Amino acid sequence: MNKNHRVPSSRSLSAVEVKSKFGAEFRRFSLDRSKPGRFDEFYGLLQHVHRIPNVELLVGYADVHGDLLPINNDDNYHKAISTANPLLRLFLQRKEEAENTFATDPLTRKKNTVLSAVLLRPDATRKKHPVIISLPKDFRPVSSIIDVDILPETHRRVRLYKHGQEKPLGFYIRDGSSVRVTPQGLEKVPAIFISRLVPGGLAESTGLLAVNDEVLEVNGIEVAGKSLDQVTDMMIANSHNLIITVKPANQRNNVVRRRSSDSGASCYGYSTHGATASMPSHIIQNFSAGELESDEDEEDLVIEAGGEAEPIRRTSSTYSMPSMPRYEPHLNLRTAFTSASAFSIHTNGTLPASNSSGSLNHADANSATPSPDRVRRSLEEEGTVITL
Amino acid sequence: MMKFRFRRQSTDPQREKIKQELFAFKKTVEHGFPHQPSALAFDPKLQLMAIGTKSGAIKIYGAPGVEFTGLHKDTTAVTQILFLPGRGCLLSVLDDNTIHRWELVAESTREVGGVKKEGVVSLREVDSYSLPGRPGIESSSATRVTVLLLLKSCDLLCMGTEGGGVYVLELPRLSLKENQTLLQDHVTQSLPDDYRCGKSLGPVESLQEHPQQAGKILIGYSRGLVVLWDLSSRHADQLFLGKQQLESLVWERSGNLFVSSHNDGGYSVWAVTNGNIYNHQPVSSTIPYGPFPCKAITKILWRTTQLSSPVILYSGGMPRASYGDRHCLTIQQDKEHVTLDFTSRVIDFFTVHNMDNDKEFDDPSALVVLLEEELVVIDLLTPGWPSLPTPYLAPLHSSAITCSCHVTNVSTKLWERLINAGKAQQSRRHTHRKWPICGGKNLAPPPRQQELLLTGHEDGTVRFWDASGVALTPLYKLSTANVFHTDGDPIDDPHDPCDDPEMQQQQEEEEEEEWPPFRKVGCFDPYSDDPRLGIQKISLCKYSNKLVVAGTAGQVIVLGLNDERSDHLVDVSVMDLLQDREGFTWKGHDRLEPRLKPAPFLPGFQPLVLLQCLPPASVTAVALHTEWNLVAFGTSHGFGLFDYHRRNAVLARCTLHPNDSLAMEGPLSRVKSLKKSLRQSFRRIRKSRVSGKKRAVITTTSKVQEANAALAEQEEVAPVQRRIEPRSADDSLSGVVRCFCFADTFLRDGTHHGPTLWAGTNSGSVYAYALEVPGVDSGRTCERGGASESSMCVEAVLGKEIQLMHRAPVVSICVLDGRGKPLPDPYEASQDLSIAPDMTNAHSVLIASEEQLKVFSLPKVSAKTKFKLTAHEGCRVRKVALVLFSSAVQEEYSEHTLVCLTNMGDMHLFNMPGLRPQVRFDCIRKEDISGIASCVFTKNGQGFYLISPSEYERFSLSAKVLIKPQCSVPLHRHLGHMFTCDGTPPQTQANGTHKSLMGQAEADVPRSTLSSPLLDTPLDSPLSCADLTLDSTGELTVEDVRDFLTTVEEEENNLRNMKDEEGRSPDILIN
């Protein structure tokens, strides 16, 4: 999405010409480029001009490269308006029949994204798929700024998604002291700070955390009064879905709120000074409560051992193929998931390329007759990654 | 099935009330030997002994069970303690030159909730006094107190100082009597010129009151001068012009003689004859261990006897070159001469002897020696002066404690067998005479049940302690060293020498030829012959009397109790836990060589089988199921299962992660040796401490130490970085097996239950095996009906593997029955000692990791409830126990509760199986890592942890089950009160690990009976009932005595009366 990050070249036209297609019908209208308004207003306008007030729509537009991109929030709506040169071509579809427009089947796509995020390794055999542009919900987020509307502007709540990342979280914390304003005046209190970012780590690559940022909360629990070791343990315990509230050392890049009625689709911008351009756009995001409850991601892995009695003395050393355990994430059995992983284990090397790109890696690594130990090891590794 | 969801703690008032009735945190007793004792005192009237420590604690002991503890505000070393005989009052001098007065104080009686509650009586500091510097002399050391003397009249206290002055304080207010002060100048004036030579007399080394003439004191100065001073006339009666540097003085009972001990290792007897003002020569002078230079005799006692010549007791005086490093105390009487050779420094000693003024002789009955690491009592009435076993103050750390294990409700049968085995071990040298320190009266009722504490030690011994009451008494000692062939001892010497009478005879003969006539006394022996012998895990089955002991070199020994001596060969079985994994080479220690010949084993626990894990890494977990005859054991490499009945290895499983290189390093690796190196450095510190009881003057070295300490603190303040990364599978030592669980439950399907074994590792893996145990109804049809039972073997089939995604080490696994209660121990169900577990409803398994507590349903392992402790609190689980808490109010009501001790030293209590947090108590300082690591829980809500290498703190989490000192001491104070004392002062603890109690139920809240008792967990298990102690205390009363009781006879009469009254039926106090 960031590819099209281009500042509109000209301001010659204050109005954007819009050509909207729904089914076989076209509508033409114009919008003020400088005041595009919000997405929900725009959406209502589209329903109005097409006279389809109660139809759920998917809105797409053709960008300068001719790719069909979705418009479903303020962010990409503004992007569409600003890049329209001069004509903005819109394509409307009924939601129920439009599932496959932007990408492939959601189920497979989900698996693809999950698996590729998880298992993606340098792999020569893997075909380069054309970049699929899809709805933001179809992407696996790496990090985000959340709860902007409820936090003071001086604070930032950052969510880091560790699961499946090859990247380490990549930061260190330290003890220190911070100055607080109290009724008695300024007071020095012990505090926890980010002390170091590992180059190439998740924390550094998101650009949302910086050295000397003061850590205020970890997953909603205040760190005040807690020791460095306690905070370390809390962060590690939450490392699969870490939400840190910091007071950035550099207060110039703070998210500035523009008042909006709908918090779900709030519109944010950045204060003008500072390196706004370098900030990735996907950080402007709010999450529903349900999404925050990420426990489902933390399923423990249960391996059912093959039913019938194995020779006792060999149970631990030999893993004969017939008694291969089957992997079952015990919660929320995603059938596609389970079968895929089980399949990948059993076939072990004869995997169709389309199914799981990641496990091919093992197939290459393991020789034709893998030692039982190797099989077991790969089993373990896959097991741990699959249930993320 | 009910779905339990974690909810925030609700504030349901009824629930809060139940919680108050179930849970209450209290530190009750300190068991063991006070760490770093520094002072000793004895009250001959009350028969109480006081010990002061370097941390500023004062502990008073009387008869077994009578204990009081007090703690000075500053953690400064107690240098001296003095009793005001018979008054329940004592004075302590601290290293900072302050004097403190302590009293046993009682609060008034209160009526709480219909229960008459005795006001807490405690040892309390009532006054303190700091000696001001002498005007004109800046140095504070001049007025530093060196010795104290309390006059018999108990109204004056004389203080000798470094500067040579003697000050007199008035008691009880501790006010200085200015006009009584005796400075050195007064004394020097009356000295002959040739003795004076312009030199100072030195500090006052000794002050002794004349035994017959009140108001006359003997003052000994360091230079050797001794003055008999009359306090009333302020005049020196006699001067004894000693030339040798003085160490101590003691009067002979008649007052005609006194004895002085000297720096050169000699002692002199001086005659006190009227008329002579100047005495130049002593009557006799001896250097007992001469003629070569000897060390100083630091203290000497001279006790007369009716039947024989006086007993001379003195510490030190050893020949400097050959035995200068020994810690010795000599007892001499006529030709009899014994040099007691101790393993640690002599702090102080006293004799228990006749104090009656009517009696002509001292007739000492016992010698009590306080050593740095133990208390030794010698029976002076029995010929040969044998030592007396101590009923308390046992040196727990005689060899460093490496692990512990608690067994509740031990049957009388097993108890008696253990006692007999222990008696058989006691050597001839021990006498069974009455314990000489017998003051006070233990009011606690005899314990309702026998509790056993087992401690494993570095030298391969397991000690069995009676933990039923306040005094932790040794019962029996098991040594595992004789299973092995060690370099140190020859093959034909299987025992600990002290255990074998023959050996002792031999030793004795050898000793007699030796000069000085040394005799090893005491049991403190911190140096282990072979660290591989160290005990790591203990498991005891109290029903079948089987014991499993596992050690540092991968040895697992299964033992059985036998009342007869037996010579047999121990079966050895070797288990390879690496299971042919390649690429691993063990770099640690070798295995211990098993003894190849049959060895004699004394009555007690005798080894049956020795299992040797390979590689011989330290055993990290052990479980015993005696009904199935199975023992499971794990190391950092894997785990094994062994059928000790059929001598058959059932299973070996490697848990080693391929990348884990540290696991092969052995105990010398950085991580593992941390504890050991800590211990070593403690020893080093202890050794380096200045020896000698004399004051440690603030010198430059101590200033340097202070500066270093300050520097070290600063270093701690400097920012420390912590890396934030999730645990990965590659973490080292991830294969360490942490816990086991045997359970008869549903592993493969929901209809058939059978024996299972669960094992948890450091990396959050849990392995569950279904076991086929011949003869145990596994709930499924037996396919092998034809095979005879004896020919069948136990088989293990892997049922499930669970990988916790957070990968934290698995601390504990426990299977819960259909009612959500933990399954009973082996034999409990089959012998009707407990209610049968509910096998009709679905079982569940509790898996506690360092970060989370989770309950999974069985057989399909799906998460039911969980509590993410680390994510919420930032603390990690260290110890977990399932405890049955009984209500202090409702007889029948009890709840199973999960108790978690975290790395922050606090206790979190969760209900089962809902895992809802109930209460949190601060228990141990988070810096006290060894305390947290040593914590062990009982099944009824008590626990123990080490507060020092030699002391266990006992605590109670239960509102009902409480073992604490309850004792009375007859006090003849001016008030004439007799106090009945509850010896646990609130909020004091010798080692200061006390933290403020948060969330503690207010103990004094009136409790009315509940109208609707929430009996969702009816207590119908007879075992669970038996596991509970209702701690009924004797009636605690303060009996007021009329003020007219001032004369001794009247006081005695009164005491007799009150003792009669004590015999009244005790009320039951529930608190």
Side-chain angles (χ1 to χ4, degrees):
Chain A
M1 271 175 91
N2 297 338
K3 270 185 185 166
N4 308 325
H5 207 91
R6 281 198 332 192
V7 179
S9 54
S10 79
R11 302 264 169 210
S12 57
L13 290 168
S14 63
V16 180
E17 194 179 332
V18 182
K19 181 179 174 185
S20 174
K21 179 175 183 276
F22 177 71
E25 287 184 54
F26 288 94
R27 293 285 186 279
R28 281 174 181 273
F29 57 96
S30 68
L31 288 170
D32 190 344
R33 192 191 290 272
S34 57
K35 276 187 277 180
R38 295 200 319 268
F39 170 71
D40 50 346
E41 294 166 359
F42 175 65
Y43 188 81
L45 178 69
L46 288 176
Q47 285 179 325
H48 175 73
V49 297
H50 282 281
R51 296 172 200 277
I52 41 168
N54 293 317
V55 178
E56 290 280 290
L57 290 173
L58 276 186
V59 186
Y61 74 101
D63 78 342
V64 284
H65 309 292
D67 290 332
L68 184 61
L69 299 181
I71 300 179
N72 49 15
N73 58 29
D74 290 349
D75 185 26
N76 50 18
Y77 168 56
H78 292 159
K79 175 72 72 187
I81 295 290
S82 59
T83 55
N85 197 12
L87 181 70
L88 176 65
R89 268 196 282 260
L90 293 179
F91 299 92
L92 307 187
Q93 276 181 298
R94 280 181 200 274
K95 207 160 220 172
E96 50 269 31
E97 57 192 38
E99 285 295 349
N100 292 332
T101 310
F102 299 116
T104 45
D105 172 72
L107 193 66
T108 51
R109 189 182 342 125
K110 182 138 195 176
K111 190 168 69 193
N112 271 345
T113 48
V114 170
L115 288 178
S116 52
V118 163
L119 303 171
L120 205 55
R121 284 173 196 159
D123 189 355
T125 60
R126 192 169 161 263
K127 274 181 197 160
K128 268 275 190 236
H129 291 291
V131 179
I132 304 161
I133 304 299
S134 59
L135 294 170
K137 71 174 171 66
D138 297 326
F139 283 97
R140 186 169 191 83
V142 231
S143 64
S144 51
I145 294 184
I146 57 172
D147 296 339
V148 183
D149 44 352
I150 56 171
L151 282 179
E153 284 182 6
T154 52
H155 296 175
R156 180 186 297 165
R157 188 165 290 171
V158 177
R159 184 170 175 181
L160 298 175
Y161 304 79
K162 170 69 185 94
H163 15 233
Q165 296 282 327
E166 287 288 312
K167 278 180 186 173
L169 279 173
F171 68 98
Y172 289 70
I173 57 171
R174 66 163 169 90
D175 276 327
S177 58
S178 168
V179 176
R180 293 276 148 75
V181 184
T182 62
Q184 291 81 36
L186 292 179
E187 199 185 322
K188 232 179 174 187
V189 290
I192 305 289
F193 295 91
I194 291 174
S195 63
R196 201 181 128 199
L197 297 179
V198 178
L202 185 59
E204 192 221 28
S205 65
T206 61
L208 301 181
L209 296 172
V211 172
N212 293 332
D213 284 1
E214 184 186 346
V215 178
L216 302 171
E217 288 175 9
V218 175
N219 287 57
I221 291 155
E222 281 193 40
V223 304
K226 291 204 157 60
S227 71
L228 182 67
D229 287 331
Q230 275 179 291
V231 178
T232 307
D233 286 339
M234 284 166 70
M235 286 187 173
I236 289 173
N238 288 305
S239 56
H240 62 98
N241 173 32
L242 184 59
I243 301 168
I244 317 177
T245 310
V246 292
K247 189 177 164 198
N250 178 359
Q251 289 282 337
R252 295 193 301 166
N253 290 338
N254 290 341
V255 175
V256 179
R257 248 173 289 173
R258 275 187 227 149
R259 202 53 259 153
S260 108
S261 56
D262 184 352
S263 71
S266 317
C267 179
Y268 306 108
Y270 296 95
S271 49
T272 45
H273 45 260
T276 49
S278 70
M279 293 301 257
S281 56
H282 67 255
I283 57 172
I284 306 160
Q285 210 172 343
N286 265 30
F287 283 84
S288 63
E291 225 175 325
L292 277 166
E293 184 54 60
S294 64
D295 278 357
E296 303 299 302
D297 293 328
E298 217 214 336
E299 294 154 17
D300 302 316
L301 178 69
V302 180
I303 304 167
E304 295 277 352
E308 276 327 294
E310 293 168 71
I312 307 288
R313 298 308 214 89
R314 275 176 288 145
T315 34
S316 55
S317 58
T318 55
Y319 258 78
S320 51
M321 293 304 276
S323 65
M324 187 63 67
R326 203 157 43 82
Y327 281 177
E328 266 180 61
H330 59 264
L331 264 183
N332 186 17
L333 278 167
R334 287 178 226 151
T335 43
F337 233 87
T338 317
S339 60
S341 54
F343 182 52
S344 71
I345 291 152
H346 280 290
T347 51
N348 197 22
T350 56
L351 200 71
S354 63
N355 204 319
S356 166
S357 49
S359 47
L360 273 178
N361 197 28
H362 289 298
D364 293 340
N366 294 336
S367 58
T369 53
S371 73
D373 227 289
R374 288 292 281 276
V375 174
R376 204 176 110 64
R377 205 177 312 163
S378 66
L379 210 66
E380 279 176 357
E381 282 172 18
E382 283 180 5
T384 57
V385 290
I386 278 162
T387 47
L388 286 162
Chain B
M1 195 64 216
M2 245 181 102
K3 174 96 176 158
F4 289 93
R5 293 283 305 164
F6 167 68
R7 267 176 275 134
R8 284 277 161 207
Q9 207 171 340
S10 61
T11 47
D12 173 18
Q14 194 161 29
R15 179 66 203 157
E16 292 300 312
K17 197 162 159 227
I18 292 172
K19 281 200 240 170
Q20 283 178 4
E21 291 166 5
L22 290 171
F23 315 121
F25 179 73
K26 193 174 165 75
K27 290 182 182 176
T28 52
V29 202
E30 286 161 29
H31 294 306
F33 185 77
H35 188 48
Q36 296 187 330
S38 53
L40 175 71
F42 181 62
D43 181 342
K45 278 192 184 156
L46 291 181
Q47 297 276 311
L48 294 174
M49 171 179 67
I51 293 177
T53 72
K54 285 192 176 162
S55 56
I58 289 188
K59 299 187 144 206
I60 300 180
Y61 301 89
V66 178
E67 283 189 38
F68 303 94
T69 303
L71 187 63
H72 288 96
K73 282 184 204 76
D74 303 316
T75 52
T76 318
V78 180
T79 55
Q80 287 182 70
I81 308 178
L82 289 175
F83 269 106
L84 276 65
R87 301 198 179 189
C89 214
L90 62 98
L91 298 167
S92 63
V93 184
L94 299 191
D95 205 26
D96 60 2
N97 216 23
T98 54
I99 299 175
H100 301 257
R101 192 157 62 87
W102 296 79
E103 277 178 11
L104 293 167
V105 191
E107 280 168 13
S108 57
T109 313
R110 285 173 301 171
E111 195 90 6
V112 174
V115 181
K116 198 177 178 192
K117 226 185 151 178
E118 172 56 29
V120 180
V121 180
S122 56
L123 181 63
R124 247 183 245 170
E125 188 181 338
V126 287
D127 208 350
S128 71
Y129 181 81
S130 185
L131 196 67
R134 190 176 149 204
I137 295 182
E138 284 302 303
S139 161
S140 66
S141 74
T143 53
R144 199 176 167 74
V145 177
T146 53
V147 284
L148 286 178
L149 169 69
L150 181 73
L151 295 193
K152 281 213 186 93
S153 53
C154 283
D155 54 358
L156 288 180
L157 177 73
C158 302
M159 289 191 311
T161 61
E162 195 99 321
V166 176
Y167 300 82
V168 179
L169 299 177
E170 214 171 4
L171 284 172
R173 284 172 295 113
L174 287 170
S175 58
L176 185 66
K177 285 185 90 170
E178 297 274 357
N179 58 348
Q180 286 278 5
T181 304
L182 167 68
L183 298 176
Q184 255 184 29
D185 315 352
H186 295 277
V187 181
T188 22
Q189 280 163 17
S190 48
L191 284 176
D193 285 340
D194 60 329
Y195 189 85
R196 204 185 298 161
C197 8
K199 279 191 281 182
S200 135
L201 295 172
V204 179
E205 289 291 343
S206 188
L207 288 172
Q208 300 293 334
E209 190 184 14
H210 195 289
Q212 305 297 336
Q213 301 167 25
K216 284 193 179 174
I217 59 168
L218 208 55
I219 305 168
Y221 294 96
S222 179
R223 214 178 105 192
L225 178 75
V226 179
V227 180
L228 182 60
W229 182 260
D230 192 327
L231 280 172
S232 46
S233 64
R234 292 187 49 73
H235 166 262
D237 273 10
Q238 291 187 54
L239 293 162
F240 304 88
L241 307 175
K243 299 282 194 317
Q244 192 47 248
Q245 198 178 325
L246 189 83
E247 289 285 330
S248 80
L249 291 174
V250 65
W251 279 103
E252 197 242 9
R253 194 180 177 95
S254 63
N256 299 326
L257 290 176
F258 73 85
V259 185
S260 61
S261 77
H262 300 282
N263 192 31
D264 63 346
Y267 64 89
S268 308
V269 182
W270 302 77
V272 186
T273 41
N274 291 332
N276 275 4
I277 291 190
Y278 299 116
N279 293 269
H280 293 272
Q281 288 298 324
V283 178
S284 71
S285 203
T286 322
I287 299 180
Y289 296 107
F292 299 110
C294 290
K295 298 194 83 174
I297 292 179
T298 48
K299 180 174 175 174
I300 188 162
L301 293 180
W302 181 283
R303 299 290 180 232
T304 56
T305 59
Q306 191 168 7
L307 301 171
S308 180
S309 30
V311 184
I312 310 167
L313 311 107
Y314 53 86
S315 60
M318 286 291 111
R320 194 172 282 276
S322 35
Y323 300 111
D325 56 343
R326 300 267 184 125
H327 309 289
C328 291
L329 192 146
T330 305
I331 314 175
Q332 255 180 292
Q333 186 179 27
D334 274 341
K335 291 238 164 63
E336 281 201 67
H337 184 134
V338 168
T339 311
L340 304 174
D341 184 7
F342 304 112
T343 48
S344 57
R345 200 160 58 82
V346 177
I347 304 291
D348 202 355
F349 58 97
F350 65 83
T351 57
V352 180
H353 60 270
N354 214 327
M355 297 292 280
D356 242 335
N357 281 334
D358 312 341
K359 297 276 166 66
E360 205 181 327
F361 297 98
D362 289 324
D363 285 328
S365 59
L367 163 72
V368 179
V369 190
L370 177 68
L371 303 163
E372 193 154 43
E373 305 291 355
E374 62 186 314
L375 185 83
V376 170
V377 178
I378 302 289
D379 177 10
L380 294 176
L381 294 177
T382 311
W385 299 319
S387 57
L388 205 63
T390 57
Y392 46 79
L393 283 168
L396 292 170
H397 61 320
S398 52
S399 169
I401 295 177
T402 43
C403 64
S404 55
C405 164
H406 186 271
V407 184
T408 30
N409 199 21
V410 178
S411 69
T412 327
K413 184 95 176 84
L414 172 58
W415 194 258
E416 279 168 4
R417 291 176 76 183
L418 281 174
I419 286 175
N420 289 335
K423 274 186 187 152
Q425 282 184 332
Q426 267 177 8
S427 69
R428 251 171 359 110
R429 278 273 160 72
H430 285 299
T431 168
H432 299 289
R433 210 171 272 278
K434 202 170 135 270
W435 180 245
I437 303 157
C438 51
K441 191 180 166 195
N442 186 6
L443 296 180
R448 290 293 179 88
Q449 60 173 19
Q450 261 88 38
E451 285 186 35
L452 205 54
L453 182 69
L454 279 68
T455 52
H457 298 263
E458 207 179 27
D459 62 353
T461 57
V462 178
R463 281 156 216 256
F464 290 63
W465 307 89
D466 175 1
S468 326
V470 168
L472 191 71
T473 320
L475 289 178
Y476 165 70
K477 184 175 102 173
L478 164 73
S479 173
T480 62
N482 55 359
V483 179
F484 303 100
H485 169 57
T486 44
D487 304 336
D489 61 354
I491 291 174
D492 53 3
D493 172 26
H495 315 295
D496 207 298
C498 340
D499 295 343
D500 193 349
E502 286 161 37
M503 287 297 300
Q504 270 172 7
Q505 188 116 40
Q506 239 175 353
Q507 270 193 338
E508 215 166 291
E509 280 157 17
E510 281 165 24
E511 275 169 17
E512 270 162 26
E513 290 154 24
E514 204 181 0
W515 178 262
F518 284 123
R519 187 209 293 176
K520 281 259 173 225
V521 184
C523 55
F524 177 71
D525 178 18
Y527 305 106
S528 166
D529 298 335
D530 192 337
R532 295 176 296 170
L533 289 169
I535 306 294
Q536 296 296 329
K537 295 288 162 190
I538 304 171
S539 179
L540 172 70
C541 172
K542 60 185 174 185
Y543 302 110
S544 62
N545 305 332
K546 290 278 189 301
L547 175 71
V548 172
V549 164
T552 308
Q555 74 271 34
V556 180
I557 307 167
V558 183
L559 304 104
L561 190 58
N562 186 355
D563 297 331
E564 303 298 323
R565 193 186 169 106
S566 155
D567 294 79
H568 65 268
L569 190 64
V570 180
D571 290 333
V572 182
S573 186
V574 177
M575 300 273 276
D576 180 15
L577 296 181
L578 278 185
Q579 291 283 293
D580 307 322
R581 286 254 199 132
E582 283 172 19
F584 289 107
T585 321
W586 171 248
K587 296 171 195 135
H589 48 233
D590 290 337
R591 57 181 278 194
L592 286 160
E593 282 306 315
R595 188 184 291 268
L596 297 170
K597 287 185 197 165
F601 296 104
L602 291 174
F605 280 99
Q606 295 173 351
L608 304 172
V609 196
L610 164 67
L611 305 172
Q612 180 62 55
C613 303
L614 286 182
S618 178
V619 176
T620 52
V622 142
L624 175 66
H625 199 293
T626 45
E627 225 174 329
W628 304 334
N629 295 314
L630 292 175
V631 57
F633 47 90
T635 69
S636 47
H637 306 114
F639 59 91
L641 183 64
F642 189 83
D643 178 351
Y644 58 81
H645 181 61
R646 297 175 184 82
R647 306 282 199 269
N648 181 20
V650 179
L651 166 76
R653 166 83 197 235
C654 183
T655 54
L656 202 59
H657 191 271
N659 299 345
D660 191 351
S661 55
L662 208 54
M664 304 311 286
E665 290 292 333
L668 291 173
S669 84
R670 233 164 10 103
V671 180
K672 281 186 175 174
S673 66
L674 182 67
K675 198 175 145 194
K676 200 176 175 188
S677 66
L678 273 178
R679 198 184 301 141
Q680 278 166 349
S681 52
F682 276 129
R683 272 183 204 153
R684 229 175 290 127
I685 291 165
R686 207 179 303 157
K687 267 193 172 176
S688 71
R689 281 213 180 82
V690 193
S691 65
K693 72 177 170 92
K694 300 296 176 189
R695 56 269 151 206
V697 183
I698 300 167
T699 55
T700 44
T701 46
S702 65
K703 273 180 185 150
V704 168
Q705 279 171 0
E706 269 174 50
N708 279 342
L711 211 71
E713 267 175 52
Q714 275 182 351
E715 272 172 3
E716 274 181 9
V717 174
V720 193
Q721 279 195 111
R722 291 277 185 275
R723 186 162 169 259
I724 308 296
E725 262 342 304
R727 292 166 204 272
S728 87
D730 297 354
D731 281 349
S732 41
L733 295 173
S734 60
V736 177
V737 177
R738 292 290 295 265
C739 57
F740 288 110
C741 172
F742 280 111
D744 182 3
T745 189
F746 305 89
L747 183 62
R748 293 197 264 208
D749 54 69
T751 50
H752 303 104
H753 64 88
T756 58
L757 169 68
W758 300 70
T761 74
N762 233 11
S763 59
S765 298
V766 176
Y767 305 92
Y769 283 83
L771 307 178
E772 298 277 357
V773 182
V776 176
D777 177 26
S778 65
R780 62 180 70 202
T781 51
C782 192
E783 298 106 42
R784 281 166 264 217
S788 72
E789 199 184 294
S790 58
S791 69
M792 284 162 63
C793 293
V794 180
E795 288 181 11
V797 184
L798 181 64
K800 290 204 169 60
E801 272 187 60
I802 304 163
Q803 175 62 59
L804 301 176
M805 288 321 288
H806 59 284
R807 293 194 174 279
V810 179
V811 178
S812 176
I813 302 171
C814 180
V815 174
L816 310 173
D817 73 359
R819 286 182 296 254
K821 293 189 187 0
L823 294 181
D825 283 343
Y827 284 117
E828 284 183 357
S830 63
Q831 298 194 351
D832 286 335
L833 297 161
S834 152
I835 45 153
D838 180 356
M839 304 305 275
T840 49
N841 292 311
H843 283 198
S844 49
V845 60
L846 164 78
I847 298 178
S849 78
E850 278 193 4
E851 290 186 356
Q852 298 185 5
L853 311 167
K854 269 187 167 175
V855 174
F856 298 89
S857 68
L858 286 176
K860 195 171 184 64
V861 180
S862 56
K864 277 166 74 181
T865 49
K866 70 174 150 191
F867 188 80
K868 295 182 174 184
L869 188 68
T870 308
H872 282 103
E873 311 276 342
C875 52
R876 273 194 254 167
V877 178
R878 284 281 175 263
K879 301 267 168 173
V880 158
L882 271 167
V883 170
L884 187 67
F885 282 94
S886 303
S887 168
V889 175
Q890 303 171 65
E891 277 297 316
E892 296 285 288
Y893 186 74
S894 66
E895 278 186 20
H896 282 281
T897 304
L898 182 71
V899 180
C900 277
L901 173 67
T902 71
N903 64 336
M904 306 300 290
D906 47 4
M907 302 279 178
H908 294 254
L909 275 63
F910 299 90
N911 74 346
M912 286 300 294
L915 293 179
R916 275 193 293 279
Q918 302 295 305
V919 201
R920 193 183 76 84
F921 302 114
D922 280 322
C923 183
I924 311 175
R925 277 180 307 125
K926 68 176 176 189
E927 295 82 11
D928 186 4
I929 296 163
S930 69
I932 294 171
S934 64
C935 186
V936 57
F937 294 102
T938 76
K939 282 189 165 177
N940 54 18
Q942 298 188 69
F944 302 86
Y945 67 91
L946 287 172
I947 47 175
S948 73
S950 56
E951 285 168 288
Y952 269 113
E953 173 78 53
R954 189 191 194 111
F955 62 89
S956 179
L957 297 161
S958 164
K960 187 172 183 180
V961 186
L962 199 63
I963 289 176
K964 59 176 184 178
Q966 293 147 19
C967 35
S968 72
V969 175
L971 302 171
H972 305 267
R973 226 174 272 159
H974 52 284
L975 290 168
H977 280 186
M978 175 173 152
F979 292 100
T980 304
C981 305
D982 173 343
T984 324
Q987 316 245 332
T988 55
Q989 193 195 355
N991 285 39
T993 51
H994 193 91
K995 283 165 52 171
S996 65
L997 307 181
M998 286 171 70
Q1000 177 176 3
E1002 174 57 51
D1004 296 335
V1005 170
R1007 293 179 185 118
S1008 59
T1009 47
L1010 285 175
S1011 51
S1012 60
L1014 296 178
L1015 283 169
D1016 67 300
T1017 53
L1019 176 67
D1020 38 4
S1021 142
L1023 176 98
S1024 338
C1025 288
D1027 258 356
L1028 302 169
T1029 343
L1030 170 65
D1031 210 328
S1032 56
T1033 68
E1035 186 187 11
L1036 309 173
T1037 53
V1038 176
E1039 295 290 332
D1040 280 343
V1041 179
R1042 302 272 147 71
D1043 281 338
F1044 60 77
L1045 300 169
T1046 40
T1047 63
V1048 178
E1049 297 99 307
E1050 274 167 338
E1051 275 183 347
E1052 276 172 0
N1053 269 339
N1054 187 45
L1055 170 63
R1056 216 172 298 131
N1057 292 340
M1058 279 180 295
K1059 273 188 175 157
D1060 292 341
E1061 278 180 339
E1062 265 171 32
R1064 286 186 304 181
S1065 67
D1067 284 347
I1068 291 172
L1069 174 72
I1070 298 163
N1071 43 345

